[in-house]
Amino acid sequence: MSLGAGDTSDHAAADALHVRSELRGPCLLVEADGELTILTAERLREHVLAEMREVPSPPRVVLDAGGVGFCDSSGLNALIIIWKAAHRAGGEFVLADLDRRFRTIIERSGLDRHLVAHPTAEQALDALAAD
């Protein structure tokens, strides 16, 4: 089987995660939609790390993951790297709006001991802004 120019499966997989961010008060709100996998984890990691360098120190980052439908071990690794970078800089990295499957993955991996999850992005932003 040959892959022609009309085959978009690789391109579609690479675009399976959309990331955008905005500064909300003293916090960086990052919204992710799609799948957090080996094909997309680097995009999230690099985006958040770059944005963290641009915000006032210490970085307070909320990842609104309400649009993330799937997360594999590469995605979890990206979250760990972001969490460590935020803590090294004296800041915080928290999650918000996790669906049941994503929350279960975080809990079963034991990452819930480090990655705090809030029910909504607004609650997460309020909690970080109060610190």
Side-chain angles (χ1 to χ4, degrees), residues 6-89:
D7 184 16
T8 59
S9 61
D10 287 342
H11 187 267
D15 288 336
L17 183 73
H18 301 280
V19 182
R20 62 198 162 281
S21 57
E22 66 179 279
L23 200 55
R24 298 273 297 271
C27 302
L28 176 66
L29 174 62
V30 179
E31 297 174 308
D33 293 305
E35 297 185 349
L36 189 48
T37 67
I38 192 169
L39 298 174
T40 61
E42 182 178 358
R43 177 182 299 157
L44 176 70
R45 184 183 70 240
E46 294 305 317
H47 176 91
V48 175
L49 294 177
E51 292 287 317
M52 281 174 51
R53 289 189 287 273
E54 302 297 320
V55 300
S57 198
R60 299 175 189 159
V61 183
V62 174
L63 174 61
D64 182 344
V68 175
F70 179 75
C71 180
D72 69 8
S73 60
S74 296
L76 293 177
N77 187 52
L79 297 179
I80 292 166
I81 290 169
I82 295 166
W83 180 84
K84 285 181 177 181
H87 278 260
R88 273 195 307 269

